[in-house]
Amino acid sequence: IVSSLKTQDLIFKDISLIPHQFHFENYVHALREEGFGRSLFNSVIYTSVSVFSILIIASLAGYAFSRLRFPGRNVLFFMFMVAMMIPIPASFVPLYLLLNKLHLRDTPIGYILCMISVGLSVSIFLLKTFFDRIPREMEDAARIDGCSKMGTWWYVALPLAKPVLAVVIIFNALNIWNEYILALIVFDSRKFMPLQVALQMFQGEFVTNYPLLMAGLTIAALPIIIVYLLMQKYIIKGITSGAVVG
């Protein structure tokens, strides 16, 4: 943050923690840099859509694995757990080939689907484990009052799962927002690139514009900090959640 408020010369000459002059114009120049503002918007869309989709799919799947009994349930859940053990770079080649066959490479939809698939396994595991701890008597009472299974999931399970949902949001938002390598594989067009790739434009082959780079890095860090601050009370509440559902 301090370096983002200095000029190029002062970064190397002035080592003080508080600059003598604050150059807030660095943030304006960074946002106006060709492609950076678009990439910032892209990252917001990719992260928001992916995290929301992961929450819906993982909460439904976790609740189904916890409460429903159907053929192949254990095998399917085991497959999700095995997926957690596969390093993400190991899936780059299959993802590239699959997106090519589906004509989804170099498209935002293809990238978002990849991000959803990457975050599902851990999210399903966390939510399924939490739902297992919820007393069935609470759901039985809701069913007596006329709730369907979907209604029980929405009105009983999800409100109790706010602490673990907050963890899922932060975990996936951090991974998707900071993703870099997969974007280079999926996208060819610069207009679809996320924020982390756009930060490269401040680094040249011989010269790096450090004030703009530091301003861009600060802008990239702020959304995740804001999400964490908004979710913090639910994470802290999770420490005592055992008194309610344990």
Side-chain angles (χ1 to χ4, degrees):
I1 295 175
V2 172
S3 296
S4 71
L5 297 174
K6 297 180 180 180
T7 62
Q8 183 87 334
D9 293 336
L10 287 178
I11 284 181
F12 298 100
K13 295 179 181 178
D14 185 6
I15 61 173
S16 60
L17 183 61
I18 300 177
H20 299 294
Q21 290 183 332
F22 296 95
H23 295 271
F24 292 102
E25 66 272 12
N26 291 335
Y27 288 89
V28 178
H29 294 326
L31 289 172
R32 288 179 177 176
E33 190 73 20
E34 183 180 357
F36 186 81
R38 175 189 287 272
S39 295
L40 176 62
F41 177 76
N42 289 343
S43 285
V44 171
I45 296 299
Y46 297 154
T47 304
S48 302
V49 174
S50 299
V51 170
F52 178 77
S53 301
I54 289 172
L55 279 179
I56 297 298
I57 298 172
S59 60
L60 284 169
Y63 189 72
F65 282 126
S66 176
R67 290 295 188 258
L68 304 182
R69 298 294 180 266
F70 52 88
R73 168 179 170 270
N74 293 331
V75 175
L76 188 58
F77 184 71
F78 177 75
M79 290 173 62
F80 277 108
M81 296 305 98
V82 169
M84 293 172 55
M85 307 175 192
I86 301 175
I88 295 177
S91 63
F92 284 168
V93 173
L95 282 175
Y96 181 88
L97 296 175
L98 181 61
L99 291 177
N100 257 340
K101 289 183 178 180
L102 296 175
H103 303 289
L104 290 176
R105 202 177 70 81
D106 199 28
T107 65
I109 295 177
Y111 183 71
I112 289 173
L113 289 176
C114 289
M115 290 294 95
I116 293 174
S117 66
V118 167
L120 273 181
S121 296
V122 176
S123 303
I124 290 174
F125 173 76
L126 291 173
L127 286 162
K128 192 262 184 188
T129 304
F130 187 88
F131 290 143
D132 285 341
R133 297 169 53 200
I134 298 178
R136 292 180 179 271
E137 289 78 8
M138 300 180 68
E139 297 177 359
D140 293 339
R143 297 296 297 274
I144 292 173
D145 289 338
C147 263
S148 62
K149 289 183 179 180
M150 288 294 294
T152 305
W153 164 75
W154 181 258
Y155 293 108
V156 178
L158 283 188
L160 291 174
K162 283 182 180 179
V164 71
L165 289 176
V167 173
V168 169
I169 290 174
I170 293 175
F171 175 78
N172 287 290
L174 184 63
N175 286 340
I176 298 169
W177 186 263
N178 290 329
E179 204 288 316
Y180 175 80
I181 300 178
L182 185 59
L184 294 177
I185 295 174
V186 174
F187 294 126
D188 292 330
S189 303
R190 193 175 187 86
K191 63 180 180 179
F192 295 138
M193 292 293 185
L195 182 62
Q196 303 304 326
V197 178
L199 289 171
Q200 282 187 320
M201 71 177 63
F202 302 124
Q203 296 178 279
E205 184 178 356
F206 303 105
V207 179
T208 297
N209 193 327
Y210 286 104
L212 296 192
L213 176 61
M214 296 304 156
L217 289 171
T218 303
I219 293 171
L222 280 177
I224 293 299
I225 296 174
I226 293 172
V227 170
Y228 176 79
L229 292 176
L230 292 175
M231 298 289 107
Q232 187 179 22
K233 64 179 180 178
Y234 295 111
I235 295 176
I236 295 175
K237 185 179 178 181
I239 299 175
T240 58
S241 63
V244 179
V245 299

Short mmCIF file of all heavy atoms in Angstrom, two decimals, residues 125-153:
data_model
loop_
_atom_site.label_atom_id
_atom_site.label_comp_id
_atom_site.label_asym_id
_atom_site.label_seq_id
_atom_site.Cartn_x
_atom_site.Cartn_y
_atom_site.Cartn_z
N PHE A 125 -17.84 -31.91 0.79
CA PHE A 125 -17.35 -32.61 1.98
C PHE A 125 -17.63 -31.81 3.25
O PHE A 125 -18.12 -32.36 4.25
CB PHE A 125 -15.85 -32.88 1.84
CG PHE A 125 -15.22 -33.45 3.07
CD1 PHE A 125 -15.39 -34.79 3.39
CD2 PHE A 125 -14.45 -32.66 3.91
CE1 PHE A 125 -14.82 -35.32 4.53
CE2 PHE A 125 -13.87 -33.18 5.05
CZ PHE A 125 -14.06 -34.51 5.36
N LEU A 126 -17.34 -30.51 3.24
CA LEU A 126 -17.57 -29.67 4.42
C LEU A 126 -19.05 -29.61 4.79
O LEU A 126 -19.42 -29.75 5.96
CB LEU A 126 -17.03 -28.26 4.16
CG LEU A 126 -15.52 -28.10 4.05
CD1 LEU A 126 -15.16 -26.68 3.64
CD2 LEU A 126 -14.84 -28.45 5.37
N LEU A 127 -19.91 -29.43 3.79
CA LEU A 127 -21.34 -29.29 4.06
C LEU A 127 -21.96 -30.62 4.47
O LEU A 127 -22.81 -30.66 5.37
CB LEU A 127 -22.03 -28.72 2.82
CG LEU A 127 -21.77 -27.23 2.59
CD1 LEU A 127 -22.09 -26.82 1.16
CD2 LEU A 127 -22.59 -26.39 3.56
N LYS A 128 -21.56 -31.70 3.82
CA LYS A 128 -22.09 -33.01 4.19
C LYS A 128 -21.74 -33.35 5.63
O LYS A 128 -22.58 -33.85 6.40
CB LYS A 128 -21.53 -34.06 3.23
CG LYS A 128 -22.22 -35.42 3.33
CD LYS A 128 -21.45 -36.39 4.19
CE LYS A 128 -22.09 -37.77 4.19
NZ LYS A 128 -21.48 -38.67 5.17
N THR A 129 -20.50 -33.06 6.03
CA THR A 129 -20.07 -33.31 7.40
C THR A 129 -20.88 -32.49 8.39
O THR A 129 -21.26 -32.98 9.46
CB THR A 129 -18.57 -32.99 7.55
OG1 THR A 129 -17.83 -33.75 6.60
CG2 THR A 129 -18.08 -33.33 8.94
N PHE A 130 -21.17 -31.24 8.03
CA PHE A 130 -21.96 -30.39 8.93
C PHE A 130 -23.40 -30.87 9.03
O PHE A 130 -23.97 -30.93 10.13
CB PHE A 130 -21.93 -28.94 8.43
CG PHE A 130 -22.56 -27.96 9.37
CD1 PHE A 130 -21.83 -27.37 10.38
CD2 PHE A 130 -23.91 -27.64 9.25
CE1 PHE A 130 -22.42 -26.46 11.25
CE2 PHE A 130 -24.50 -26.74 10.12
CZ PHE A 130 -23.75 -26.15 11.13
N PHE A 131 -24.00 -31.22 7.89
CA PHE A 131 -25.39 -31.68 7.91
C PHE A 131 -25.54 -32.97 8.71
O PHE A 131 -26.60 -33.23 9.29
CB PHE A 131 -25.90 -31.87 6.48
CG PHE A 131 -26.09 -30.59 5.72
CD1 PHE A 131 -25.81 -30.51 4.35
CD2 PHE A 131 -26.57 -29.45 6.35
CE1 PHE A 131 -25.98 -29.33 3.66
CE2 PHE A 131 -26.76 -28.27 5.66
CZ PHE A 131 -26.46 -28.20 4.31
N ASP A 132 -24.51 -33.80 8.73
CA ASP A 132 -24.57 -35.04 9.51
C ASP A 132 -24.75 -34.76 11.00
O ASP A 132 -25.27 -35.60 11.73
CB ASP A 132 -23.28 -35.86 9.31
CG ASP A 132 -23.24 -36.56 7.96
OD1 ASP A 132 -24.31 -36.70 7.33
OD2 ASP A 132 -22.15 -36.95 7.52
N ARG A 133 -24.31 -33.59 11.45
CA ARG A 133 -24.37 -33.25 12.87
C ARG A 133 -25.70 -32.63 13.27
O ARG A 133 -25.96 -32.44 14.47
CB ARG A 133 -23.24 -32.28 13.20
CG ARG A 133 -21.83 -32.87 13.00
CD ARG A 133 -20.79 -31.78 13.08
NE ARG A 133 -20.91 -31.01 14.32
CZ ARG A 133 -20.41 -29.80 14.50
NH1 ARG A 133 -19.80 -29.19 13.49
NH2 ARG A 133 -20.54 -29.18 15.65
N ILE A 134 -26.53 -32.27 12.30
CA ILE A 134 -27.82 -31.66 12.64
C ILE A 134 -28.78 -32.74 13.12
O ILE A 134 -29.00 -33.73 12.43
CB ILE A 134 -28.42 -30.94 11.42
CG1 ILE A 134 -27.49 -29.81 10.95
CG2 ILE A 134 -29.81 -30.38 11.74
CD1 ILE A 134 -27.99 -29.07 9.73
N PRO A 135 -29.38 -32.58 14.31
CA PRO A 135 -30.33 -33.59 14.81
C PRO A 135 -31.51 -33.75 13.86
O PRO A 135 -32.10 -32.77 13.41
CB PRO A 135 -30.79 -33.01 16.15
CG PRO A 135 -29.71 -32.05 16.55
CD PRO A 135 -29.16 -31.49 15.27
N ARG A 136 -31.84 -34.97 13.57
CA ARG A 136 -32.96 -35.24 12.65
C ARG A 136 -34.29 -34.80 13.24
O ARG A 136 -35.27 -34.60 12.51
CB ARG A 136 -33.00 -36.74 12.31
CG ARG A 136 -31.81 -37.19 11.46
CD ARG A 136 -31.91 -38.68 11.14
NE ARG A 136 -30.79 -39.12 10.32
CZ ARG A 136 -30.78 -39.10 8.99
NH1 ARG A 136 -31.85 -38.66 8.34
NH2 ARG A 136 -29.73 -39.52 8.31
N GLU A 137 -34.35 -34.68 14.56
CA GLU A 137 -35.61 -34.26 15.19
C GLU A 137 -36.04 -32.87 14.72
O GLU A 137 -37.24 -32.59 14.60
CB GLU A 137 -35.46 -34.25 16.72
CG GLU A 137 -35.35 -35.62 17.37
CD GLU A 137 -33.96 -36.23 17.22
OE1 GLU A 137 -33.05 -35.49 16.74
OE2 GLU A 137 -33.79 -37.40 17.56
N MET A 138 -35.07 -32.01 14.43
CA MET A 138 -35.41 -30.67 13.95
C MET A 138 -36.06 -30.74 12.58
O MET A 138 -37.02 -30.02 12.28
CB MET A 138 -34.15 -29.81 13.89
CG MET A 138 -33.44 -29.62 15.23
SD MET A 138 -31.95 -28.62 15.11
CE MET A 138 -32.66 -27.03 14.72
N GLU A 139 -35.57 -31.63 11.74
CA GLU A 139 -36.15 -31.78 10.40
C GLU A 139 -37.50 -32.49 10.48
O GLU A 139 -38.42 -32.17 9.72
CB GLU A 139 -35.19 -32.56 9.52
CG GLU A 139 -33.87 -31.83 9.31
CD GLU A 139 -32.89 -32.65 8.49
OE1 GLU A 139 -33.23 -33.78 8.11
OE2 GLU A 139 -31.78 -32.16 8.23
N ASP A 140 -37.60 -33.45 11.39
CA ASP A 140 -38.88 -34.13 11.57
C ASP A 140 -39.96 -33.15 12.00
O ASP A 140 -41.12 -33.23 11.54
CB ASP A 140 -38.75 -35.25 12.61
CG ASP A 140 -37.86 -36.39 12.13
OD1 ASP A 140 -37.69 -36.51 10.90
OD2 ASP A 140 -37.33 -37.13 12.97
N ALA A 141 -39.61 -32.22 12.88
CA ALA A 141 -40.58 -31.21 13.32
C ALA A 141 -41.01 -30.33 12.15
O ALA A 141 -42.19 -29.98 12.02
CB ALA A 141 -39.97 -30.35 14.43
N ALA A 142 -40.06 -30.00 11.27
CA ALA A 142 -40.40 -29.20 10.09
C ALA A 142 -41.30 -29.97 9.14
O ALA A 142 -42.23 -29.40 8.55
CB ALA A 142 -39.11 -28.76 9.38
N ARG A 143 -41.03 -31.27 8.99
CA ARG A 143 -41.87 -32.09 8.11
C ARG A 143 -43.30 -32.19 8.65
O ARG A 143 -44.27 -32.18 7.88
CB ARG A 143 -41.27 -33.49 7.95
CG ARG A 143 -39.90 -33.52 7.29
CD ARG A 143 -39.96 -33.02 5.86
NE ARG A 143 -40.79 -33.85 5.02
CZ ARG A 143 -40.35 -34.94 4.40
NH1 ARG A 143 -39.08 -35.31 4.54
NH2 ARG A 143 -41.15 -35.65 3.65
N ILE A 144 -43.42 -32.28 9.97
CA ILE A 144 -44.76 -32.34 10.59
C ILE A 144 -45.52 -31.04 10.32
O ILE A 144 -46.74 -31.04 10.12
CB ILE A 144 -44.63 -32.60 12.10
CG1 ILE A 144 -44.11 -34.02 12.34
CG2 ILE A 144 -45.98 -32.41 12.81
CD1 ILE A 144 -43.80 -34.33 13.78
N ASP A 145 -44.78 -29.93 10.30
CA ASP A 145 -45.41 -28.63 10.03
C ASP A 145 -45.72 -28.41 8.56
O ASP A 145 -46.25 -27.37 8.18
CB ASP A 145 -44.50 -27.50 10.52
CG ASP A 145 -44.44 -27.44 12.04
OD1 ASP A 145 -45.37 -27.95 12.68
OD2 ASP A 145 -43.46 -26.88 12.57
N GLY A 146 -45.37 -29.40 7.72
CA GLY A 146 -45.75 -29.33 6.31
C GLY A 146 -44.62 -29.00 5.35
O GLY A 146 -44.88 -28.80 4.16
N CYS A 147 -43.38 -28.95 5.83
CA CYS A 147 -42.25 -28.66 4.95
C CYS A 147 -41.93 -29.86 4.07
O CYS A 147 -41.93 -31.00 4.54
CB CYS A 147 -41.01 -28.29 5.78
SG CYS A 147 -40.75 -26.53 5.97
N SER A 148 -41.63 -29.61 2.81
CA SER A 148 -41.13 -30.66 1.94
C SER A 148 -39.64 -30.85 2.21
O SER A 148 -39.05 -30.16 3.04
CB SER A 148 -41.35 -30.27 0.48
OG SER A 148 -40.63 -29.08 0.18
N LYS A 149 -39.03 -31.80 1.51
CA LYS A 149 -37.58 -32.00 1.68
C LYS A 149 -36.81 -30.75 1.26
O LYS A 149 -35.82 -30.38 1.90
CB LYS A 149 -37.14 -33.22 0.89
CG LYS A 149 -37.62 -34.54 1.46
CD LYS A 149 -37.10 -35.73 0.66
CE LYS A 149 -37.58 -37.03 1.28
NZ LYS A 149 -37.09 -38.22 0.53
N MET A 150 -37.24 -30.13 0.17
CA MET A 150 -36.59 -28.89 -0.26
C MET A 150 -36.82 -27.78 0.74
O MET A 150 -35.92 -26.97 1.02
CB MET A 150 -37.10 -28.48 -1.64
CG MET A 150 -36.62 -29.34 -2.78
SD MET A 150 -34.83 -29.23 -3.05
CE MET A 150 -34.68 -27.54 -3.59
N GLY A 151 -38.03 -27.75 1.30
CA GLY A 151 -38.33 -26.74 2.31
C GLY A 151 -37.51 -26.94 3.57
O GLY A 151 -37.04 -25.97 4.18
N THR A 152 -37.29 -28.19 3.94
CA THR A 152 -36.45 -28.48 5.11
C THR A 152 -35.02 -28.06 4.86
O THR A 152 -34.36 -27.50 5.74
CB THR A 152 -36.49 -29.99 5.42
OG1 THR A 152 -37.86 -30.40 5.58
CG2 THR A 152 -35.72 -30.30 6.69
N TRP A 153 -34.53 -28.30 3.64
CA TRP A 153 -33.17 -27.87 3.29
C TRP A 153 -33.05 -26.35 3.36
O TRP A 153 -32.06 -25.83 3.88
CB TRP A 153 -32.85 -28.37 1.87
CG TRP A 153 -31.67 -27.71 1.21
CD1 TRP A 153 -30.35 -27.93 1.48
CD2 TRP A 153 -31.70 -26.70 0.18
NE1 TRP A 153 -29.56 -27.13 0.68
CE2 TRP A 153 -30.35 -26.37 -0.13
CE3 TRP A 153 -32.73 -26.06 -0.51
CZ2 TRP A 153 -30.03 -25.43 -1.09
CZ3 TRP A 153 -32.39 -25.13 -1.48
CH2 TRP A 153 -31.06 -24.82 -1.75
#
